[in-house]
Amino acid sequence: MPLAQNWRRRGKFEEVAFIFPNAPTIPITVNFQMKMPGWYDITTFNDLQAAHDEVGILRSRDYFNSLVAEEVAKGIPSTRIVVGGFSQGGAMSLFTGVTSPLKLGGFFGLSAYLLLHHKIKDFVPASLPNKDTPVFMGHGNADPTVRYAWGQQTAAALRELGYGVDFRTYQGLQHSADPEEIDDLEKYLLARLPPLGEAGVSKA
């Protein structure tokens, strides 16, 4: 929320509505089954890419898609919608973007990784609506939680599938974000969601 407020104070994205969904409270295996906010269960921190709560991931993906559908129903073109997030939210955003049945304006993941990477092709629509949709990824090379290598591997996997990924590395950054990364994200969003006054209403 503070990020969106900061952009508002600087006169950025004045035509954009920011939606920040809250993850449901679910039992998390690595937290001794104690309940905490999570888009899906995590069974181990040793290799997040090997721990796939497929039911939880697909449930959250469907919820993300429902949020997109609600905006489209209000008259917002899907190409003016960007899905993104940090950590679990970033992982869900990448998965949602790749598997979305609608053409999106963009999708990004910060300190994120590709969910269900071993069978991702099974979930990608045959029409490939987002194959030409630019993807942004940012990752600190000192991240002890979502390893930097996982981010690199995710970018490589998406590129292998034909997606254009702008993967940015942030030196010394752990599992967090920093001003340089936020600046890069801002540039990405400005390119994906230009003010309608400049882009022309006919393009929206």
Side-chain angles (χ1 to χ4, degrees):
M1 189 69 74
L3 179 59
Q5 292 173 345
N6 179 52
W7 281 330
R8 291 277 195 245
R9 284 195 296 268
R10 294 166 49 221
K12 303 288 186 179
F13 307 113
E14 294 181 334
E15 299 171 333
V16 176
F18 291 93
I19 299 172
F20 298 94
N22 293 314
T25 299
I26 61 173
I28 300 295
T29 299
V30 294
N31 198 34
F32 304 102
Q33 289 296 320
M34 292 179 63
K35 291 186 176 182
M36 61 184 294
W39 292 114
Y40 50 87
D41 187 22
I42 297 177
T43 59
T44 177
F45 277 130
N46 294 325
D47 185 357
L48 289 180
Q49 294 223 72
H52 302 279
D53 169 20
E54 184 170 330
V55 172
I57 291 167
L58 295 181
R59 179 178 59 241
S60 293
R61 188 274 309 270
D62 291 345
Y63 174 60
F64 279 35
N65 282 340
S66 74
L67 295 178
V68 172
E70 287 176 9
E71 296 308 303
V72 171
K74 294 175 185 176
I76 306 298
S78 64
T79 52
R80 291 280 299 177
I81 296 175
V82 174
V83 179
F86 173 82
S87 197
Q88 263 206 353
M92 278 306 314
S93 295
L94 293 177
F95 184 77
T96 300
V98 170
T99 64
S100 173
L102 299 176
K103 171 73 172 175
L104 300 174
F107 50 99
F108 68 87
L110 309 180
S111 300
Y113 58 101
L114 185 61
L115 298 166
L116 300 176
H117 67 284
H118 57 299
K119 57 190 300 186
I120 188 66
K121 291 181 180 180
D122 296 341
F123 299 103
V124 177
S127 60
L128 300 174
N130 286 295
K131 193 164 186 178
D132 296 324
T133 302
V135 182
F136 178 80
M137 292 185 66
H139 216 118
N141 63 0
D143 192 330
T145 303
V146 178
R147 298 174 191 170
Y148 176 64
W150 299 345
Q152 290 180 305
Q153 291 163 12
T154 292
L158 291 177
R159 288 169 181 150
E160 186 175 336
L161 290 171
Y163 295 90
V165 182
D166 180 5
F167 182 86
R168 301 292 181 94
T169 299
Y170 302 95
Q171 298 296 323
L173 181 64
Q174 299 190 13
H175 196 58
S176 183
D178 70 4
E180 182 183 359
E181 183 177 34
I182 298 305
D183 286 346
D184 289 340
L185 175 60
E186 179 180 314
K187 293 172 185 175
Y188 168 77
L189 291 176
L190 283 171
R192 304 316 308 152
L193 300 171
L196 292 177
E198 294 179 13
V201 177
S202 63
K203 285 186 168 183

